[in-house]
Amino acid sequence: MMNIYATTEWDERDETYMIADWKQGADLVKNYRCAWDKYTREDMDRVFSFSESYKDFISRCKTERECVKEFMAIAKRNGFRDLESVIAEGGSIKPGDKLFANNMGKTLALFVIGTQPLEKGMRILGAHIDSPRLDLKQNPLYEDTDLAMLETHYYGGVKKYQWVALPLAIHGVVMKKDGSSIEVVIGEEDDEPVVGVSDLLIHLAADQMEKKLSKGIEGEDLNICIGSIPVRTDNSDEKERVKKNILGILNQRYGITEEDFVSAELEVVPAGRARDYGLDRSMVMAYGQDDRVCAYTSFEALMRIKDPDKTCVALMVDKEEIGSVGATGMTSKFFENSLAEIMNLMGDYSELKLRRALANSRMLSCDVSAGFDPNYPSVMEKRNSAYLGKGLTFNKYTGSRGKSGSNDANAEYMARLRAIMDKHGVTWQTAELGKVDQGGGGTIAYILAEYGMEVIDCGVPLHNMHAPWEIASKADVYEAMRGYYAFLMEA
Ligand code: MN
Ligand code: MN
């Protein structure tokens, strides 16, 4: 029997009844706090000014390429060197140095070299910078009933019905045969046109409304309307005059022809800037917060690190939304290869040291979580959900059903992280993605765990995850940055 004593009224220890002291009982209860409650006036200024920079970033960087470009530019201003040029120049690397490695313009690894040898392990933040969207197909442009249209192929997990009847912008690159590249952004400035996918008018939607939500709008229905004025011609038999006019506009503005679509990566995304959400301006509504909110906060945390003991790393990877595959996904050898190059330039490379560096590392897989939504309580388990405003969210495990596909972080590691977060006064919470049998998800955590390093998922809870406009709490964005910084300092 456990020795729990009632001490409030009885003078002596009495083991007859198992009644705990009321005060002791109260101290034992875990309370996840709301971050807003702890902020001073100065803290509020910091939270809101950080969210302004975040809103600016997320409004401008809507593709993986745009994120890499932005992060590289800021990193360079902060004294980071390009690993590729250090290798080319036969340079060397020493503790305190700051480096970035760019993989095809879509994945970026940033390093701040520590005083300890790399084989002692690194502290790694890993986020992804790809988001669900509509990609243009290889042969996208066609004309139908005097309208110019573009075929799309959706990328990542999208509820297709959410992508109709809203303003969309086109972001991306067109690579020409001569090797030159043309960057395209259409639809973001107030005076620029937007494009979009039409929905069926309710008056004629009797059949559509009977369909399952997943079939109401299908993948091949996601065609973009981009024009309706025909080119002028004396030839009355001239075909596809609207399409030709659009090609004329594209050629005038970008110097491209129809065949150039073949070597283009054009992503159709929600048009417009991030906005404050809520009358108290406590939240941010923006496209692509999964996972650019964690990418931005990871990046900002790393930029604040100077002369660390262990090497600190931030990974910004592509293709997470489609399974982390390909040369720019987390499963590629890019990160491992970059690390080998760095160890070599430090005069400290061997295959064994490389393996030790990876196995001895600790990582936060920085990815968003599902915030409890009072509109959809039936899919969440209230005691193990993340709540907007309650801080950085740890997911000990993700996966689905019987933890299938999960990276289940070690209790020892979780204990260490709790201690670090509490030491730095970071507001944090723990969560599962939803009810056990409801569905599930995963991130890049399991891929790095394969090296034998400690990894846990942790990030910002969202409403509307994967919808065109996602919601995050400004307090959680700020606590994420602080939590990631604390991790880089101490883990
Ligand atoms: Mn994600
Ligand atoms: Mn996602």
Side-chain angles (χ1 to χ4, degrees):
M1 188 178 275
M2 291 157 67
N3 294 317
I4 298 179
Y5 309 113
T7 54
T8 33
E9 295 185 13
W10 299 312
D11 291 342
E12 290 174 18
R13 282 185 156 192
D14 183 336
E15 298 191 25
T16 314
Y17 302 104
M18 291 180 57
I19 306 168
D21 174 75
W22 69 270
K23 191 170 179 307
Q24 184 198 7
D27 286 347
L28 295 174
V29 172
K30 168 175 64 66
N31 278 312
Y32 286 123
R33 296 167 303 165
C34 168
W36 294 110
D37 282 338
K38 74 177 180 184
Y39 293 145
T40 62
R41 174 59 218 275
E42 289 70 35
D43 290 335
M44 289 292 276
D45 289 347
R46 282 190 277 270
V47 172
F48 278 80
S49 93
F50 187 74
S51 80
E52 285 307 304
S53 322
Y54 168 58
K55 276 161 55 191
D56 183 57
F57 163 80
I58 197 107
S59 298
R60 289 184 296 107
C61 300
K62 294 189 176 182
T63 68
E64 46 289 315
R65 287 178 192 266
E66 288 168 350
C67 289
V68 165
K69 213 172 161 196
E70 173 77 0
F71 287 144
M72 275 201 303
I74 302 171
K76 275 184 193 164
R77 287 203 293 275
N78 283 294
F80 281 69
R81 289 184 295 159
D82 187 344
L83 179 59
E84 208 173 314
S85 29
V86 180
I87 295 167
E89 291 156 11
S92 65
I93 296 173
K94 59 180 189 318
D97 281 1
K98 298 185 279 190
L99 300 145
F100 64 82
N102 167 9
N103 183 14
M104 302 178 185
K106 297 183 193 174
T107 291
L108 193 66
L110 300 123
F111 300 83
V112 181
I113 306 298
T115 48
Q116 291 184 14
L118 267 162
E119 65 175 309
K120 298 282 181 200
M122 301 162 284
R123 296 174 185 139
I124 305 168
L125 299 171
H128 67 91
I129 48 178
D130 59 319
S131 294
R133 61 188 187 240
L134 308 179
D135 286 341
L136 292 196
K137 288 189 184 179
Q138 294 282 275
N139 298 308
L141 185 60
Y142 66 100
E143 177 171 331
D144 194 340
T145 57
D146 300 331
L147 294 171
M149 307 288 287
L150 292 169
E151 294 271 7
T152 70
H153 194 137
Y154 63 94
Y155 173 96
V158 302
K159 291 163 103 175
K160 285 157 250 176
Y161 69 83
Q162 292 177 334
W163 290 77
V164 298
L166 81 166
L168 299 173
I170 303 174
H171 288 233
V173 293
V174 182
M175 300 300 302
K176 306 252 292 176
K177 275 202 288 190
D178 64 6
S180 61
S181 89
I182 296 137
E183 288 185 29
V184 176
V185 180
I186 306 169
E188 295 294 351
E189 299 300 330
D190 283 343
D191 60 352
E192 277 182 340
V194 294
V195 296
V197 181
S198 57
D199 196 0
L200 188 56
L201 64 166
I202 183 71
H203 316 69
L204 298 178
D207 289 347
Q208 185 195 37
M209 298 300 277
E210 293 304 317
K211 291 182 183 174
K212 283 165 50 179
L213 210 46
S214 60
K215 296 282 181 192
I217 301 285
E218 300 203 60
E220 287 298 348
D221 300 337
L222 295 172
N223 303 312
I224 309 270
C225 180
I226 56 160
S228 62
I229 300 178
V231 283
R232 295 283 174 88
T233 172
D234 295 333
N235 177 4
S236 55
D237 293 335
E238 184 86 23
K239 297 277 188 309
E240 301 191 312
R241 291 197 297 136
V242 178
K243 170 178 163 176
K244 284 169 186 163
N245 193 47
I246 288 293
L247 280 170
I249 291 169
L250 290 172
N251 190 263
Q252 209 169 22
R253 183 156 172 188
Y254 299 107
I256 58 177
T257 65
E258 187 174 17
E259 194 182 303
D260 290 325
F261 279 117
V262 169
S263 51
E265 286 175 358
L266 295 166
E267 306 180 8
V268 182
V269 297
R273 295 183 65 81
R275 304 279 296 265
D276 284 344
Y277 192 72
L279 300 188
D280 55 6
R281 297 181 178 272
S282 60
M283 296 165 275
V284 173
M285 177 182 242
Y287 163 68
Q289 300 202 72
D290 176 3
D291 182 34
R292 295 177 190 133
V293 66
C294 295
Y296 181 78
T297 46
S298 298
F299 179 80
E300 284 293 314
L302 189 78
M303 289 302 117
R304 286 162 169 75
I305 295 292
K306 284 187 186 63
D307 303 315
D309 51 351
K310 289 212 174 146
T311 294
C312 293
V313 183
L315 297 174
M316 310 292 166
V317 297
D318 181 28
K319 299 288 184 281
E320 192 273 350
E321 296 294 356
I322 58 166
S324 297
V325 290
T328 56
M330 192 67 243
T331 49
S332 99
K333 293 277 184 288
F334 163 70
F335 173 51
E336 195 180 314
N337 292 347
S338 302
L339 186 60
E341 295 282 6
I342 288 174
M343 294 177 90
N344 187 45
L345 290 169
M346 296 185 81
D348 199 26
Y349 172 78
S350 76
E351 174 67 18
L352 182 61
K353 284 180 175 175
L354 175 69
R355 285 166 191 267
R356 283 179 181 159
L358 288 160
N360 290 332
S361 290
R362 299 198 171 95
M363 185 201 184
L364 295 182
S365 167
C366 304
D367 209 341
V368 295
S369 194
F372 186 88
D373 185 340
N375 276 340
Y376 303 96
S378 66
V379 299
M380 308 292 261
E381 190 263 279
K382 278 193 169 176
R383 281 166 293 280
N384 288 282
S385 292
Y387 294 85
L388 263 59
K390 290 197 172 181
L392 180 59
T393 303
F394 287 88
N395 293 83
K396 186 172 180 295
Y397 43 85
T398 54
S400 58
R401 300 178 305 280
K403 298 193 179 180
S404 173
S406 159
N407 163 69
D408 200 344
N410 287 316
E412 291 87 340
Y413 186 43
M414 187 65 234
R416 185 185 187 93
L417 294 170
R418 279 169 64 196
I420 293 169
M421 295 302 137
D422 289 349
K423 180 180 168 190
H424 285 253
V426 176
T427 302
W428 59 275
Q429 54 186 329
T430 66
E432 296 200 11
L433 194 58
K435 278 187 178 169
V436 172
D437 284 329
Q438 193 65 45
T443 67
I444 60 170
Y446 75 96
I447 302 161
L448 285 122
E450 283 181 10
Y451 291 114
M453 70 176 77
E454 298 270 23
V455 187
I456 189 167
D457 281 297
C458 113
V460 173
L462 300 183
H463 279 178
N464 293 4
M465 195 196 295
H466 281 207
W469 297 97
E470 301 171 312
I471 316 296
S473 161
K474 290 179 181 177
D476 299 333
V477 177
Y478 186 64
E479 294 300 317
M481 189 275 287
R482 293 184 65 242
Y484 295 158
Y485 176 77
F487 169 84
L488 293 177
M489 293 291 285
E490 312 251 2

